[in-house]
Amino acid sequence: MRRYVWLLLIGLCSVVWATPLPVQAADSVTAIAAGPYHSCAVMNKQVWCWGKNTLGQLGDGTTTNRAGAVRVIKESDGLPLQNATAVDASVGHSCAIVDKQVWCWGANFEGKLGDGTTIDRLGAVLVQKSDSTTLDNVTAIALGYHFSCAISNAQVWCWGDNQEGEIGNGTTTSATAGAVLADYGSTAFTNVTKISAGRKHICAISEGKAYCWGTNDEGQLGIGTTSAYELYPAHVREEGGSEALTGFTDIAAGWAHSCGVVNKYVYCWGWNTSGQLGVNDSGVHISARKSLKTGGFSYANASRIVVGSPFSCVLEAQAVWCTGENTNGALATNTLTSSTVGVASQYRGGGFLTGVTDITTGLSHACAIIKKQAWCWGENTDGQLGDGTTEDRLGAVRVAFDESVTAVVRNLQPATAVSGGLNQSCAVVNKQAYCWGDNTNGELGNAGALAYTSARVVVTAAGAPLTNVTAVSSGYSHACAVANKQAYCWGTNGGELGDNTTTNRTGAVAVQTATGTLTGVTAISAGTNLSCAIANKQAYCWGNNFYGGVGDGTNVDKLVATLVVNATAPLTKVTAIAAGYGHACAVANKIVYCWGVNGVGQIGNNSLVNVALATEVQLDGGLLLNKATDVGVGDENSCAINNKQVYCWGVNGSGQVGDGTTTNRRVATRVMVDATTPLGAATQLGVGGYHACALVSKQVYCWGDNGDGQLGDGNSGTQSVYAVAAKYLVSDVQLTGVTQVKAGYYHTCAVIAKQVWCWGANGSNQLGDDTSTDRKGAVKSLFHRILLTQLKGL
């Protein structure tokens, strides 16, 4: 069965086998848990889940069932849980211990996620106490039907449903505000070392004794009686006795029965219609009775006991023995024969399980850790075995990765640069170029023509990923990058790719000069049908030159990189460059120069005459911008930062000059926040088709057209003649910590904490958030997913 996996993890894939595999470097499963219809594991300190997901119990940001393991993410930022040490799973929800705190996800009925709400969560949220403080120093967790518990500082804390006293605090009031302390009334239940939750009851070990509370209709508390429920912890007794049974080292609470390991023997009590107590009968036992295995022998070296609905499993000497109902293969005997005593579990196809270090049971399935790998067996209707199928397994099969969701929800990071084009965007991540959005003309550079809603890596014409990338620029229907100090371009090619042809390219090709490859490149800009770069501190352009946009003094199109010149010589000491629609601008010796079409004043020289040579931009009165640090070019407008203030000129019908008017400007005009306040402290520009943005004190301010939300201020269908602050979509809080901003035609992107965030038009998926929905505030861009036919085992 095919599965989606990150492109970067192709090399990790191998075939899933039905028999044990040698331990591999990536296999490091340290904890495992089986819920009724899904399962989870801790691998490499991250949490992975698989199976049923209709309530978000897999924590991958979706409600899609998964037949292979997917990574759990945080609800707050979409990043994977890290430093996990334990995990548990129940009906519709799951929890894990991370840095000695508890994180939960999935259904939140009666507050069983413990975050102080009853809101379902598709990603993990942090558990709090009922007083809103964090539950810390957690050493164990246990999940019941609609409640959850943990051991913190050797005490039991529970939260969620409490209709039958399962919280253990002497009431039947649900704990929806967070975790509350289990007690004996006025005395706290202390010195707890182990805990386990069943459907509506719970058991724990304190000072070698087992205590249970909650529902007791089948004698599952082991206290020698049956009752509707018990509100406080009561000690488990051996059948025929009244004193507490001592010597407990492990405990397990199931659907309606419980078991424990006592001095290496196994004892069970409660519901037994299918022989799940392993006592060689099917009668209910309301006190603990010693369990047996094949041949009528008692367990003498048991270390772990786990119980499901109608079955139980014991770990003894790194082998597994199971007893009870076997309708779906829960006993792993490669048969469907049930048993009232423990029988040895097997791999699918034969061979007893060996080298087992931990086991767990769900409703009708079980899982184990074998040589740091995850193996499961039994019912598989919802993919809870994680082997890539939904077929029941009568013997153990190995869990496999299914990283499709991880690829979608994983943020595009660590990013160092970003750029927006017409209907596509690009970014630099780990020194590689990634693009997403429209791909009609190959502008994504991924060797294909399919559009993508999230990022794909850019490859060369030979199909190899472009490496050592330091800059990227996305234009109208082409894009360019700097890699290994050379310029590469891809997409539509009327000459703007600079490879001395007019052949469209779906992979990156090196830009040429008249004498060879363009080298020493430090910056690049892709415009509409024009491209420019800085190489060896000089300005080069190529492509359409009808209006003089190449800046070489002619009107002849250039298929290779050509030096930009002013009236006397090539520009030198060039530190910034930008290409637009028929015109371009650069900063040279801290002075702003522009050249090309000038029908609405976009050259900024106080005229409307096209110029084919680099010409100084003027201020009102004829002064020059001579302390410039950055420049940006839109469709028919231009902007620059001079002495940390932003100036714009050219067309202004949408307010893209930002001076409080919609009047076209032939000279550089200061951008304003309001009628009296200039936009100051600017360090970087992003100029789009009909809007512009600036980076100011690590915040983003935008002005101009806002018909698609490209200003990011929470509005759309309008325009702003003044600079307004861009915000996050979800929180409506102003963007902070921004390191770069770049504007496309109708959208904008920024780098924040090495993650890519975009906003505005999204009809061609140019925001990269795996949707085509326009956004009025910033949303995260994501990695793309690809299809593979081979899986690696978990």
Side-chain angles (χ1 to χ4, degrees):
M1 179 177 290
R2 297 190 299 174
R3 288 287 176 269
Y4 290 103
V5 186
W6 295 347
L7 180 60
L8 297 178
L9 295 179
I10 291 177
L12 295 179
C13 298
S14 60
V15 176
V16 177
W17 301 90
T19 53
L21 289 175
V23 176
Q24 306 204 16
D27 297 334
S28 186
V29 178
T30 53
I32 197 162
Y37 309 106
H38 75 291
S39 308
C40 297
V42 175
M43 187 187 74
N44 295 325
K45 296 185 178 182
Q46 294 184 330
V47 183
W48 297 74
C49 295
W50 57 94
K52 192 170 185 177
N53 196 28
T54 53
L55 299 171
Q57 56 263 54
L58 302 190
D60 60 1
T62 78
T63 55
T64 304
N65 293 356
R66 302 292 173 182
V70 292
R71 202 182 321 241
V72 175
I73 62 170
K74 294 180 183 177
E75 176 87 0
S76 58
D77 57 16
L79 296 177
L81 283 180
Q82 304 283 1
N83 296 321
T85 54
V87 66
D88 201 8
S90 187
V91 180
H93 78 298
S94 313
C95 297
I97 299 177
V98 176
D99 293 323
K100 295 186 179 181
Q101 296 177 331
V102 184
W103 292 74
C104 296
W105 56 95
N108 202 11
F109 177 78
E110 295 288 355
K112 64 180 177 177
L113 300 188
D115 66 339
T117 77
T118 56
I119 300 171
D120 294 351
R121 305 292 188 179
L122 303 184
V125 292
L126 187 62
V127 172
Q128 64 179 34
K129 295 179 183 178
S130 58
D131 63 0
S132 299
T133 61
T134 304
L135 187 64
D136 294 316
N137 297 318
V138 176
T139 55
I141 52 175
L143 274 57
Y145 189 67
H146 286 314
F147 69 100
S148 310
C149 296
I151 299 175
S152 171
N153 296 313
Q155 296 180 321
V156 177
W157 293 77
C158 296
W159 55 96
D161 187 31
N162 193 30
Q163 295 180 37
E164 299 187 33
E166 48 264 63
I167 297 299
N169 67 342
T171 75
T172 55
T173 302
S174 296
T176 58
V180 297
L181 189 62
D183 55 35
Y184 294 112
S186 59
T187 305
F189 183 40
T190 58
N191 299 321
V192 180
T193 55
K194 290 281 184 77
I195 193 171
S196 180
R199 181 175 179 269
K200 288 192 175 184
H201 76 290
I202 190 165
C203 295
I205 298 175
S206 173
E207 298 178 345
K209 299 176 183 178
Y211 296 81
C212 299
W213 61 94
T215 302
N216 193 34
D217 57 339
E218 296 286 347
Q220 54 263 58
L221 302 189
I223 60 177
T225 65
T226 58
S227 57
Y229 50 79
E230 297 292 331
L231 298 181
Y232 295 113
H235 64 253
V236 175
R237 63 190 66 182
E238 187 174 2
E239 196 168 69
S242 60
E243 298 300 319
L245 186 60
T246 61
F248 277 91
T249 55
D250 197 29
I251 194 76
W255 195 257
H257 76 291
S258 308
C259 295
V261 175
V262 182
N263 298 319
K264 297 186 179 182
Y265 294 102
V266 175
Y267 285 80
C268 292
W269 55 94
W271 187 43
N272 192 33
T273 54
S274 298
Q276 56 263 46
L277 300 188
V279 296
N280 203 23
D281 65 35
S282 56
V284 172
H285 294 270
I286 59 177
S287 298
R289 185 170 179 175
K290 191 176 291 185
S291 299
L292 308 172
K293 57 182 178 180
T294 301
F297 299 105
S298 299
Y299 297 96
N301 197 27
S303 58
R304 185 90 166 92
I305 176 69
V306 291
V307 299
S309 174
F311 76 107
S312 309
C313 293
V314 177
L315 178 60
E316 183 182 50
Q318 295 192 323
V320 177
W321 300 77
C322 295
T323 181
E325 186 177 307
N326 198 27
T327 304
N328 300 102
L331 305 190
T333 58
N334 283 304
T335 72
L336 292 176
T337 304
S338 299
S339 178
T340 58
V341 295
V343 289
S345 298
Q346 305 173 25
Y347 293 102
R348 181 178 178 232
F352 296 123
L353 302 187
T354 58
V356 181
T357 54
D358 199 7
I359 53 175
T360 180
T361 51
L363 196 65
S364 299
H365 78 290
C367 297
I369 298 176
I370 304 175
K371 297 179 180 179
K372 296 185 179 181
Q373 298 167 356
W375 294 76
C376 295
W377 60 90
E379 184 179 5
N380 199 23
T381 307
D382 296 291
Q384 56 262 55
L385 303 189
D387 69 336
T389 78
T390 55
E391 300 175 13
D392 291 354
R393 300 300 190 183
L394 309 186
V397 292
R398 193 175 171 192
V399 177
F401 289 123
D402 175 359
E403 296 191 283
S404 58
V405 175
T406 306
V408 174
V409 299
R410 181 172 183 250
N411 303 326
L412 188 60
Q413 63 174 356
T416 53
V418 69
S419 178
L422 174 63
N423 293 317
Q424 74 284 345
S425 305
C426 298
V428 178
V429 180
N430 286 325
K431 296 185 178 181
Q432 291 186 315
Y434 288 82
C435 295
W436 58 95
D438 185 38
N439 200 23
T440 305
N441 302 288
E443 49 265 66
L444 301 191
N446 63 354
L450 295 176
Y452 288 94
T453 61
S454 44
R456 275 189 69 114
V457 71
V458 174
V459 299
T460 65
L466 200 60
T467 58
N468 294 318
V469 179
T470 54
V472 67
S473 179
S474 187
Y476 192 85
S477 58
H478 78 292
C480 299
V482 178
N484 297 302
K485 295 187 177 181
Q486 294 183 353
Y488 289 83
C489 296
W490 56 93
T492 299
N493 193 18
E496 56 264 48
L497 302 192
D499 67 338
N500 204 22
T501 77
T502 55
T503 304
N504 293 355
R505 306 290 187 178
T506 59
V509 291
V511 174
Q512 304 295 310
T513 67
T515 59
T517 302
L518 183 64
T519 59
V521 181
T522 55
I524 199 158
S525 178
T528 299
N529 48 11
L530 176 71
S531 304
C532 297
I534 299 174
N536 303 309
K537 297 184 179 181
Q538 292 185 308
Y540 288 81
C541 293
W542 55 94
N544 185 275
N545 197 26
F546 182 78
Y547 300 105
V550 170
D552 68 337
T554 76
N555 297 104
V556 179
D557 291 350
K558 304 297 181 181
L559 303 185
V560 296
T562 305
L563 270 172
V564 175
V565 298
N566 59 22
T568 58
L571 295 182
T572 59
K573 296 183 180 180
V574 180
T575 54
I577 198 162
Y581 179 63
H583 82 291
C585 298
V587 175
N589 290 297
K590 297 185 179 181
I591 296 174
V592 180
Y593 291 83
C594 294
W595 55 93
V597 66
N598 195 29
V600 288
Q602 56 263 57
I603 301 304
N605 64 343
N606 203 20
S607 79
L608 298 177
V609 179
N610 299 340
V611 292
L613 294 170
T615 304
E616 293 97 335
V617 174
Q618 300 177 20
L619 290 162
D620 192 18
L623 297 176
L624 303 181
L625 297 174
N626 57 9
K627 294 182 179 180
T629 55
D630 198 15
V631 68
V633 172
D635 198 52
E636 296 179 301
N637 62 302
S638 311
C639 297
I641 296 176
N642 190 69
N643 199 24
K644 294 188 178 181
Q645 292 189 327
V646 183
Y647 293 81
C648 294
W649 56 96
V651 72
N652 195 26
S654 298
Q656 56 263 59
V657 170
D659 66 343
T661 76
T662 55
T663 303
N664 293 353
R665 301 297 184 182
R666 301 182 186 184
V667 295
T669 305
R670 198 175 321 199
V671 175
M672 308 292 286
V673 176
D674 53 42
T676 60
T677 309
L679 183 64
T683 54
Q684 196 254 318
L685 284 171
V687 182
Y690 305 97
H691 76 293
C693 299
L695 183 59
V696 177
S697 301
K698 294 188 177 182
Q699 297 178 328
V700 176
Y701 287 82
C702 299
W703 57 95
D705 181 34
N706 197 28
D708 299 288
Q710 56 263 54
L711 302 189
D713 66 339
N715 300 305
S716 63
T718 59
Q719 64 184 33
S720 179
V721 296
Y722 293 115
V724 294
K727 304 174 182 178
Y728 293 101
L729 177 67
V730 175
S731 62
D732 196 39
V733 173
Q734 187 172 352
L735 303 184
T736 58
V738 184
T739 55
Q740 188 189 44
V741 62
K742 290 296 179 183
Y745 253 69
Y746 306 105
H747 73 291
T748 311
C749 293
V751 177
I752 305 173
K754 295 185 179 181
Q755 298 177 1
V756 177
W757 295 75
C758 296
W759 58 93
N762 199 23
S764 297
N765 317 119
Q766 55 265 53
L767 303 189
D769 68 337
D770 210 38
T771 78
S772 57
T773 304
D774 293 353
R775 304 294 191 180
K776 296 181 288 186
V779 294
K780 290 180 185 176
S781 301
L782 310 168
F783 272 121
H784 181 66
R785 52 192 180 177
I786 64 169
L787 284 170
L788 289 179
T789 56
Q790 292 181 322
L791 303 175
K792 180 174 178 58
L794 181 67

